[in-house]
Every structure is written in C-alpha cells, then in structure tokens.
C-alpha cells in the first residue's frame, strides 16, 4: 500500500497564492451608495474565475494529508474514519435555520438537540448535557466555570485546580482562564496518578481535579474510586477530560466512576470530521446536582414539545448561540448509526488495534497495559526526525515528544478504523524509519510537497499574510 | 449482499474493517482470548449494561432525521442581529467537502499539510486586506468568543491600570453574556456607555472613559444595523484613555464600511461566517485581527510563511510558544480546535466574489435595507427605520400596534422577524431574502 500524497516536480510543486494569480483594486467610494466619509477608500483582493478557483483549491487539497489519504495515528487526537453519510444528513436544509427563530417554529431542531443531549448523557453516565461549547477546550472552560459556580453557590469559593503533569495542556489553560491557580500533580512511577501525591495536593482550596481516563499514555486509572473519594472528601469536584473516551465507549462511564462534570470531544469520539483543525464540539455533562448551573439556554421536553429555558443558576453563555450545530447533527447521526453494539465494537477494535500495533513494532513501550493509545519511545533517536522519516515511508507519523515524561515519545493511536493490513503497513513504516540512518532521517522528508520546514526561522521572522511577503520583495 | 455482509450487518460498528478471522489473528498476536480481556477496568466501575441506543441503517436514519427536521416550520427569515445569511455558491460546498480538507487535522506535520496551511494563510491574508491590520489569526469560534478573547488580550497588554471594558448599551445580549464569561476569571469589569440615535454617543463616552478603561468596544454596523459616523473619534477617546479600541464588524461590511485600521482600531473581532456558511443555527466563525505590537499576545493559531530545506516557500503553524501545549496555564488562550474548515469556506467565498462582487454585495445590504424600511415607513402607525442613520442589512421598526402580535401574524404568513419589545421589531434583508420583500410588505400591511 502506498499512501504518498500528490507531488509535483521540483520546480513547480508549489501552488501560487491567490494574490499571485490575480488581484484587483476597487475604488469603493465610487461604487458605494453611502457618503464617502462612511466608506473605505479602496479594496484590493484577488478575484478568480470559478474554474480557476476550483483548480486552486483542488490542487491545495492534493497537497494535504487526511484520514482519507491513509492512517493518521496522532495520539490523543483520535483521527478515525469519518462516514460520508453524516455529511449528507448535516446538509439537510431544514436543519440550518436562524438561531433566533421562535421555539415553536424550530421543533425539529430542538428535538434533535434534545435527542443528542440524551444520547450523550447515557454514554457518559451523566444526568444532564449542554451542547453549547464549540470545542473540547471550550467544554473544559465551561465545566470549570460550572465547578466554580457550584462552590460559590455553596458559600465555599476555592482557588485551585489540580491537573496531572500528563494532562492535555488545554486543562491547564482552561483552569487558568477561569481564574484558578493550577497545581500540577506529578505522575507516579507507573505513569498513573500517585495517591500519596494526590493526598498531598488536595486541600480546602481544591475546586476540582481534572483527569483524563484512560490517561494520555493509554493507561486506565485503576484507583479511580479512591481518587474520587480523596477529591470529594476535600470538598472538590472531579472533572473528566473526554479526550480519550473512545477507549471506553459502552465499557465504562465517567458518571459511574464518580466524575461530577465532563466534556465530550465529538470530533474525536463520534467521528465528526476535524476539518483541518475544527470545527469540533465540546458538550459538557454534569450530575443532577450541577444541572442548575448549565449554560443558558438549555433544551428540555414538556408534553411532547421542546423548549428552551434558562437553568436557575446558569453560569451564562460560552458561545453566541448553541455551538456548532452542523457538528452536532453529524454526532447524532453517528451515534444513532452505531447504537449500543456499534459503540461497544468501536472501543473493542480501538483497543485491539492499539495493542496489536504495539506488539508489531520494534520499539520500547514503557508502562502498560494500555487501551487505545501507547507512547513508544524512539530511544536514542530524535522522535521528530523519526516522524519525518515515516513521512518518506508513506504514512502520517504519530504525535511526537509528548507526553513529556516519556523520552522521545511517539504517542500512537491507530483508532478502530484501520484494518489488520493497514496496521501491518503502518508497523513496517515505523520500523523502517527506525532503521534509517541518522543522515537519512535528518534529510527527510523528501517525498512530500514541501521538504523539511525550518519552523524556528519562521517564528523568528513572522510573515503572516501575503502583504508581509510583498513587503519583503 | 449475503446475510452478515457489511450492508446488512446490525451488530458491531459499520466502520471497523475487521473480519472475524482477522480479529482472531490479532487477538492471538496480542496474546489474549477476547477483546474484553484488553480492558484494564476494575469490575467496580465496569459498565455491563445497555445504553439503550438502537442502531439504525443509513437508510432508516436518513429518513428519521429528515422527518425530524421537517418538523421545523418553513419560514422565510428576515432575521439578523449578528448572524447573517448570504447566498453561498455551490463551488464552496463542493471544494470544501473534498475529503483531504474535511478529514484532515491541525497541521502538526507541515510538510504533508501544505494545502490547508496555504488556505489558512490566504484566509489570514484576506482578513488583513479587509481590516488593514497586519496580524490576523486563522479563526476563533464566533464573534462573541472573539470579543471575549479581545478583552483578555487587553487585560494582558494594557499600559494603564484600567480594568473597565466599555461596551455599547445596544449590544446583542448573547455577546454581552459570553464576554462576561470570558472576563469572569480576570479583574476586568464590563460597563455600558450610551448610544445616541443608534450610534455611539461619543461625548458621553469621552466623559466616562478615563484611566480605568482597559478596552472600548464599538460595532459597525451595530446590532441594529446602524452605520457609525464617528468611529475615528471613538478611536481618539480610547487612545486618550490609554484603552484598546476594539471594533466589531463582519466580512461583508468590511468590503464597504470604513477600514478599521484607518479609524484607529487596535483589535477587530466579529463574524466571518457572513461569507461561507449558511445560518447553521448559530454556528459561526470568529474574526480576530490586531496590530503588530500585540503579535505575541494573540489568542489562537497563526500560520506563517517560511522556507523548506530546498529553499522554497512553505507554510507552517508559527509562534506556537503562545499555545497551551508549550505554555500550559500561561498560554494566550485555551484554543486548540478552532473553526479552520469554516475559515477555508470563507476564503473560498471571498475569492469567488472578488473585490467587485464583495462591494456589490455590501452595497446591496445598504440599498435593500433603505428600500424596505422606506416601504414600511409609509404605513400609518409605523416608523422605519427608527434611527436617522444609514443602515446595513437591518433596521428597527416602531409600531403603534403591539409588535409581538404583528410578528405572530407574520409568522402565520410564513415570515420570521425579531421582536425587541412591545412596539419594536427588527428586520434584516440581504441578497437571500430580497426577492421576498414584496410578500413581506403585503403581509405586514395585513398584520397592521
């Protein structure tokens, strides 16, 4: 199997910028129905014919890796296959109504949102779910705001959030955004939470512990019940980072483990496309006790009609409207297509694939047993170089140099969507890159659209628009 | 296909490619007898129950979803208020749906992601051309969250000790609410300044804004569709107070109205989805542009041009030291997944329009509002527009009759408009509903 992306001859493998194809300056004041002093003077933009535009973007697409191109085993990103049909149903013209339409006139939209709230609550073992946050990190911020509102309502405001060193960086950033001091919890020798360290970290200032389970090297926090007890005894709340929920679908539920609040990354777990970096959606689930703090408005059902209402002590809003609707429709369709048996099969194959790939590659893999992802180590080689070498062996490499407590980490998550044959190919690429000479790795990649890019130089001299490029010419 | 074939399969996921024989072979390679053995979950927290979610075939589900969504009433929307609908050309749907764009991810390996990186670089470049500000990020979630991030940026870069974020009294309630959430963890406080005839009361603002001010926010057009006439003066007030001047707008308005850089804007936020997206129940795309001085404080992702080992121009995510995977709690924002694909669509739509097309579209937003408001104004007991200002897309209508009743009658006739209070409606007209204005005017007359 060859997954090389479209390439071009050395002289012309780069597609010109829109601005290099054509720009026109328009005298705006002349064309405008407004007085001159209310308009801009001129406007200079590219303006391409539709055939030219079509070729431009088609060519750009050919210079881009996607799940459709081949395996995309980025650890913690869950780049699984995105079904075509969820795109179709999201395009239903009846779905794309204006957000200020009256409740009575959008019963269909509200019914679907209500249905999705219900599905997610079942999957997470939570009592209520808001769909408003437009991304996972926005979900984290929302969840922490809910925890904060809860403590304030109890007359017990707190100042700290505990986050394990191995957690996603967004956890730290989201807690800080909500105004908390972040207490970093070191990982134990087995890569999991060290209960003694947790005991030492919690205090009456602890608002919440943010935990990913399985964690970022695919290890299940087996002591989760003790962890929950320690946090709850200190008066804190337990927050579940849903980034790795794909490993537990239908097998274990955060609500059953003692988590009070969680977010779901629907673009990871429920196969809505990542879109080159978004849009995603980060619904938040809570226990009954926290439901009164959910963002407003919330959707509920009464006598067969659906309505929007403001939860009594709502934290307010985290998005202008109801989040990323198109993504939510795809999520609903995906969950309903799979149902119980499909969700369980998803986690089964995701975990099987990770374990099989780990078995197949000739790398050291610390810790274990793991679920859906594992952190192989490149040992005395530079993980970033090995990754570039993998590009030349025709596959997308895993996440590199993260998490930091695994030296030269290559965090690998094949997902359930890869076949055995595909995993065998991927394993061969892993091993081939490790067998390449240091010189070969440092010269890689050579088969991709661009050769190795000097990211440090690009950051030293930031050029962020074609105007900046023109200025240098 | 035979029973048990992929199309008929009811048990398991339709998107896992494993045959039973392969599964067995893989389990043997791993050294376990069953998939269940792979789960390192203590029995106390294992879930052995049923979620109660019935799997459906594609065909069944397609029918189910379309019948659920068909429960929405078929109305012609004359709705706006920060969320606008313009015709999106088919080519945008076609090209943006190409799987290589749709199912790709954040460009962590730039050599193999040049296509999307270049598209985002072009999006940033288009925003730079529209705003005149040299730094644009490659998306925020929506206008409201972009405003929240602007306030947090002001908090990081302010020169004085100010902590007040001044916003107009005429502001979408949702935007205000999101802004309040975003400043909740800071010392910033949101305060309101008055408007006169639907635009900024500059003299009143000048009285209010002092050394305590961190940021002054204004919109052009405002949520009521009025076009500001003294934006440069607002910029001067902000300057004198040592506050940032943040301007809210959208991609269509930017084609026509005063260039933000020329009125002294330090930050531009707003909806970019006015181009590229239909009214997807409020899904958006947040604009964010600012001055060079604040480059290292910008929230979200930035794409930069650099060079590859062959000396060719190439694109990469840049200035990542601002981001949470490096600076964790000291990051400029928590944004990781953004709205990249929507930004791609907006860039496509803008490039399709070209400068002439954009100016035409924006001019139409002025002309249609002027013409529709003038027609409604002729009815006795109706004043439209309420404010003696130029308008963009939308305007207020004061009615002697109760406005909610008029809106109900209009809805019964198939039209949706905003009700602001007992005697105030708001109506928005763009290229997509302009052909329905005759029918709206007739229904309006009947409703009076």
């Amino acid at each position: 199997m060859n997954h090389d992306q479209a390439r071009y001859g050395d002289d012309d493998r780069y597609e010109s910028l829109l601005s290099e194809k054509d720009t026109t300056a328009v005298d705006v004041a002349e064309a405008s129905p407004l007085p001159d002093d209310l308009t801009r003077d001129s406007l200079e933009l590219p303006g391409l014919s539709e055939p030219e535009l079509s070729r431009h973007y088609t060519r750009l697409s050919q210079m881009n890796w996607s799940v459709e191109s081949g395996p995309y085993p980025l650890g913690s990103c869950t780049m699984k296959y995105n079904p075509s049909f969820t795109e179709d149903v999201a395009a239903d013209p009846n779905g794309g109504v204006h957000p200020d339409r009256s409740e009575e006139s959008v019963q269909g939209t509200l019914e679907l949102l209500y249905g999705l709230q219900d599905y997610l609550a079942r999957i997470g073992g939570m009592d209520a779910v808001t769909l408003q946050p437009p991304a996972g990190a926005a979900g984290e911020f929302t969840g922490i705001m809910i925890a904060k509102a809860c403590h304030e309502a109890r007359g017990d405001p707190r100042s700290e959030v505990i986050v394990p060193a191995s957690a996603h960086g967004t956890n730290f950033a989201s807690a800080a955004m909500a105004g908390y001091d972040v207490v970093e919890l070191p990982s134990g020798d087995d890569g999991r939470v060290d209960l003694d360290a947790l005991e030492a970290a919690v205090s009456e200032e602890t608002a919440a512990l943010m935990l990913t389970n399985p964690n970022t090297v695919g290890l299940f926090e087996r002591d989760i019940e003790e962890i929950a007890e320690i946090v709850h005894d200190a008066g804190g709340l337990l927050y579940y980072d849903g980034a790795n929920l794909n490993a537990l679908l239908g097998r274990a539920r955060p609500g059953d483990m003692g988590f009070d609040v969680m977010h779901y990354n629907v673009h990871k777990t429920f196969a809505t496309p990542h879109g080159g970096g978004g849009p995603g959606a980060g619904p938040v689930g809570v226990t009954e006790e926290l439901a009164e703090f959910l963002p407003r408005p919330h959707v509920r059902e009464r006598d067969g009609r659906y309505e929007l209402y403001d939860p009594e002590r709502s934290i307010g809003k985290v998005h202008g409207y109801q989040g990323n609707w198109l993504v939510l429709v795809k999520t609903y369709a995906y969950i309903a297509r799979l149902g119980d048996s499909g969700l369980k099969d998803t986690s089964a194959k995701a975990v099987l694939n990770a374990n099989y790939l780990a078995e197949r590659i000739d790398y050291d893999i610390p810790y274990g047993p793991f679920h859906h992802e594992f952190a192989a180590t490149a040992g005395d080689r530079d993980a970033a170089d090995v990754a570039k070498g993998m590009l030349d062996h025709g596959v997308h490499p895993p996440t590199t140099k993260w998490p930091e407590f695994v030296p030269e980490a290559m965090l690998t998550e094949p997902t359930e969507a890869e076949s055995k044959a595909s995993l065998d190919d991927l394993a061969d690429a892993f091993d081939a890159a490790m067998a390449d000479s240091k010189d070969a790795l440092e010269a890689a990649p050579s088969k991709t659209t661009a050769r190795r890019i000097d990211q440090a130089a690009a950051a030293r001299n930031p050029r962020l628009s074609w105007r900046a490029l023109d200025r240098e010419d | 296909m035979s029973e048990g074939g992929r199309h008929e399969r009811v048990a398991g996921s339709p998107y896992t490619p494993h045959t039973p024989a392969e599964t067995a072979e893989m389990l043997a390679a791993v050294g376990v007898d069953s998939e269940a053995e792979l789960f390192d979950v203590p029995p106390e927290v294992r879930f052995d129950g049923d979620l109660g979610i019935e799997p459906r075939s594609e065909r069944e589900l397609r029918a189910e979803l379309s019948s659920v969504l068909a429960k929405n009433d078929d109305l012609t929307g004359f709705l706006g208020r920060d969320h606008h609908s313009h015709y999106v050309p088919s080519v945008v749907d076609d090209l943006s749906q190409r799987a290589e764009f749709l199912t790709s991810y954040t460009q962590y390996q730039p050599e193999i992601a040049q296509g999307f990186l270049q598209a985002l670089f072009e999006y940033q470049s288009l925003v730079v051309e529209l705003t005149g500000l040299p730094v644009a990020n490659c998306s925020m979630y929506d206008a409201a969250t972009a405003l929240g991030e602007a306030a947090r940026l002001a908090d990081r870069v302010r020169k004085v000790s100010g902590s007040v974020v001044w916003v107009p009294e005429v502001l979408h309630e949702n935007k205000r609410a999101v802004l309040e959430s975003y400043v909740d963890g800071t010392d910033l406080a949101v305060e309101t300044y008055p408007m006169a005839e639907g635009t900024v009361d500059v003299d009143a603002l000048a009285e209010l804004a002092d050394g305590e001010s961190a940021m002054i926010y204004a919109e052009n057009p405002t949520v009521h569709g009025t076009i500001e006439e003294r934006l440069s003066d607002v910029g001067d007030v902000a300057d004198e107070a040592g506050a940032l001047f943040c301007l809210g707008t959208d991609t269509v308005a930017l084609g026509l109205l005063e260039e933000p850089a020329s009125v002294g804007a330090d930050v531009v936020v707003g909806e970019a989805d006015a181009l590229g997206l239909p009214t997807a129940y409020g899904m958006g795309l947040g604009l964010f542009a600012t001055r060079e001085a604040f480059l290292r404080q910008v929230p979200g992702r930035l794409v930069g041009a650099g060079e590859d080992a062959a000396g060719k121009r190439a694109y990469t995510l840049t200035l990542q030291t601002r981001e949470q995977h490096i600076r964790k709690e000291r990051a400029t924002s928590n944004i990781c997944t953004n709205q990249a694909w929507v930004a791609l669509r907006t860039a496509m739509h803008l490039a399709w329009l070209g400068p002439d097309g954009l100016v035409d579209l924006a001019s139409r937003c002025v002309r249609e509002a002027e013409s529709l408001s003038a027609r409604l104004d002729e009815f006795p007991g109706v004043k439209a527009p309420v404010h003696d200002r130029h308008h963009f897309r939308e305007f207020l209508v004061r009615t002697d009759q109760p406005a909610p009743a008029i809106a109900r009658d209009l809805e019964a006739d198939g039209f949706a408009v905003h009700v602001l209070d007992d005697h105030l409606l708001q109506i928005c007209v763009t290229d997509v509903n302009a052909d329905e204005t005759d029918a709206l005017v007739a229904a309006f007359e009947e409703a009076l």
Side-chain angles (χ1 to χ4, degrees), chain A residues 268-292:
Chain A
K268 298 180 181 183
T269 311
F270 305 111
T272 62
H274 288 62
V284 167
V286 294
T287 57
E288 197 169 3
E289 194 197 354
L290 296 176
E292 60 180 334

Side-chain angles (χ1 to χ4, degrees), chain B residues 292-351:
Chain B
E292 193 99 45
F294 306 139
L295 174 59
R296 282 163 208 283
Q297 293 298 328
V298 170
R301 298 228 138 101
L302 296 169
V303 175
E307 274 189 5
D308 74 357
K312 300 275 186 159
R313 188 171 70 209
Y315 307 92
T316 179
L317 294 174
T318 195
L319 299 169
Q320 290 182 281
T321 47
R322 300 166 301 113
E323 295 190 46
Q324 24 3 74
H325 53 278
I326 294 175
R327 278 169 65 91
K328 295 188 171 180
E329 71 268 28
R330 290 171 300 123
T332 54
S333 76
N334 70 340
I335 290 199
C336 197
T337 293
N338 57 12
Q339 302 285 107
W341 181 75
V342 189
L344 171 78
R345 290 176 60 99
T346 293
M348 287 173 173
H349 194 166
L350 258 171

Side-chain angles (χ1 to χ4, degrees), chain B residues 148-346:
Chain B
E149 293 280 6
R152 296 185 69 98
L153 178 134
D155 192 36
R156 291 192 293 275
V157 304
R158 61 189 166 172
K159 287 167 283 187
V160 291
S161 60
S163 58
V164 177
V165 175
W166 290 106
V167 299
E169 64 179 351
V170 173
L171 179 69
H172 200 301
E173 188 276 331
N174 292 354
K175 223 177 239 176
R176 168 80 186 238
V178 174
L179 175 61
E180 296 278 5
S181 297
Y182 270 69
V183 303
D184 185 82
T186 69
D187 294 329
L188 296 173
V190 181
E191 305 259 5
T192 301
Y193 64 80
M195 308 282 277
E197 274 298 308
T199 51
V200 178
D201 183 338
V202 180
D203 301 329
L205 176 64
E207 291 269 308
L208 289 167
D210 53 20
E212 287 300 300
S213 311
M215 186 171 102
I216 292 173
Y217 177 64
E219 295 185 334
N220 196 31
T222 68
V223 64
H224 288 164
T226 48
I227 295 173
E228 288 287 348
E229 297 180 353
R230 295 180 61 191
L231 277 180
S232 292
D233 294 342
V234 177
D236 290 344
V237 170
D239 240 14
E240 274 162 37
L244 291 197
F245 176 24
C246 178
L247 182 65
T249 183
D250 70 76
T251 38
V252 177
L254 283 169
L256 186 66
L257 305 185
E258 288 180 275
E259 188 185 73
S262 74
V263 297
D266 298 296
V267 185
V268 172
V269 297
E271 277 298 345
D273 77 339
L275 295 177
L277 258 196
T279 45
Y281 203 55
M283 182 162 160
L285 169 62
L287 270 177
F288 197 97
T290 189
R291 300 198 287 121
E292 193 99 45
F294 306 139
L295 174 59
R296 282 163 208 283
Q297 293 298 328
V298 170
R301 298 228 138 101
L302 296 169
V303 175
E307 274 189 5
D308 74 357
K312 300 275 186 159
R313 188 171 70 209
Y315 307 92
T316 179
L317 294 174
T318 195
L319 299 169
Q320 290 182 281
T321 47
R322 300 166 301 113
E323 295 190 46
Q324 24 3 74
H325 53 278
I326 294 175
R327 278 169 65 91
K328 295 188 171 180
E329 71 268 28
R330 290 171 300 123
T332 54
S333 76
N334 70 340
I335 290 199
C336 197
T337 293
N338 57 12
Q339 302 285 107
W341 181 75
V342 189
L344 171 78
R345 290 176 60 99
T346 293

Side-chain angles (χ1 to χ4, degrees), chain A residues 101-429:
Chain A
R101 286 261 299 256
S102 69
E103 283 166 35
E104 275 309 300
S105 76
V106 293
Q107 285 294 304
T109 297
L110 296 180
E111 181 176 340
L112 192 143
L113 291 173
Y114 182 81
L116 180 56
Q117 287 175 190
D118 179 52
Y119 280 168
L120 291 175
R122 288 165 189 247
I123 291 167
M126 307 305 285
D127 295 315
V129 173
T130 174
L131 305 174
Q132 193 174 113
E140 293 174 12
F141 178 58
T142 307
I144 291 300
M145 294 279 286
I146 289 170
K148 188 177 180 179
C150 167
H151 291 300
E152 278 166 10
R154 287 173 177 172
D156 179 24
R158 292 168 169 236
S159 62
E160 294 175 355
V161 167
I162 303 173
V163 186
S166 62
H168 301 102
T170 47
N171 286 184
F172 300 84
S174 300
M177 256 179 92
Y180 283 108
D181 296 328
V182 181
V183 177
E184 187 168 316
L185 188 66
S187 295
D189 293 338
D190 63 352
R192 296 178 169 83
V193 169
D194 178 331
L195 294 182
D196 292 336
L198 179 61
E199 291 273 15
V202 295
S203 73
E204 57 195 22
E205 287 304 323
T206 303
L209 166 69
M210 298 180 84
L211 199 62
T212 312
N213 196 17
N215 69 21
T216 52
V217 284
L219 307 176
F220 192 84
E221 299 287 354
R222 295 187 207 111
D223 299 328
I224 185 61
E225 287 190 306
E226 288 83 348
I227 292 170
E229 203 179 314
I230 292 169
V231 174
H232 288 150
D233 283 353
L237 296 170
L238 196 56
Y239 181 98
Y240 182 83
D241 176 332
N244 295 341
L245 187 63
N246 201 47
L248 296 185
L249 279 177
R251 314 259 160 194
R253 309 192 302 173
D256 303 339
M257 296 177 207
F259 286 93
D260 304 286
V261 51
M262 68 175 289
H263 80 265
Y264 306 74
N265 298 76
V266 304
H267 45 293
K268 298 180 181 183
T269 311
F270 305 111
T272 62
H274 288 62
V284 167
V286 294
T287 57
E288 197 169 3
E289 194 197 354
L290 296 176
E292 60 180 334
F293 302 107
L294 287 175
R296 63 185 161 82
H298 195 63
V299 185
R300 72 180 167 198
E301 188 248 317
R302 267 193 182 174
D303 305 326
R305 302 299 283 171
Y306 298 90
E307 60 182 25
L308 293 166
Y309 79 103
D310 293 349
E312 205 173 328
R313 302 168 106 158
S314 172
I315 57 162
K317 293 182 68 65
V318 293
H319 184 267
Y321 297 95
Q322 285 292 298
N324 282 330
W325 160 259
L326 291 174
V327 179
L328 298 171
V329 183
K330 295 175 201 180
T331 307
Y332 182 96
Y334 182 83
I335 293 172
R337 175 82 179 94
L338 265 58
D340 264 284
S341 61
L343 293 168
K344 282 181 184 161
D345 190 39
T346 295
S347 53
K349 297 303 192 302
V351 174
L352 174 63
N353 278 5
N355 280 279
Y356 178 74
L357 183 62
E359 193 63 38
R360 273 284 275 108
I361 65 174
D362 199 13
Y363 283 60
D364 285 336
I365 301 171
Y367 312 120
F370 43 80
H371 281 96
H372 63 302
E373 64 186 354
F374 58 86
T377 170
D380 58 357
R381 320 212 63 169
D382 184 316
D385 285 345
V386 176
K388 298 302 180 196
M390 286 181 71
L391 293 176
D392 274 350
H393 292 287
V395 297
H396 196 289
T399 301
T400 57
K401 307 223 176 198
W402 194 82
E404 286 142 355
F405 62 89
V406 175
E408 300 303 326
M410 301 185 70
L411 186 67
T412 309
E413 181 178 6
T415 82
E416 70 278 7
E418 299 304 327
S419 67
K420 177 176 176 296
S422 166
L423 294 172
D424 287 336
D425 282 348
L426 189 56
D428 290 344

Side-chain angles (χ1 to χ4, degrees), chain B residues 31 86 100 137 182 210 239 278 280 352 372 419-420 446:
Chain B
H86 294 282
E100 298 90 333
N137 78 8
Y182 270 69
D210 53 20
D239 240 14
W352 183 81
L372 180 58
V419 179
L420 298 195
E446 206 153 292

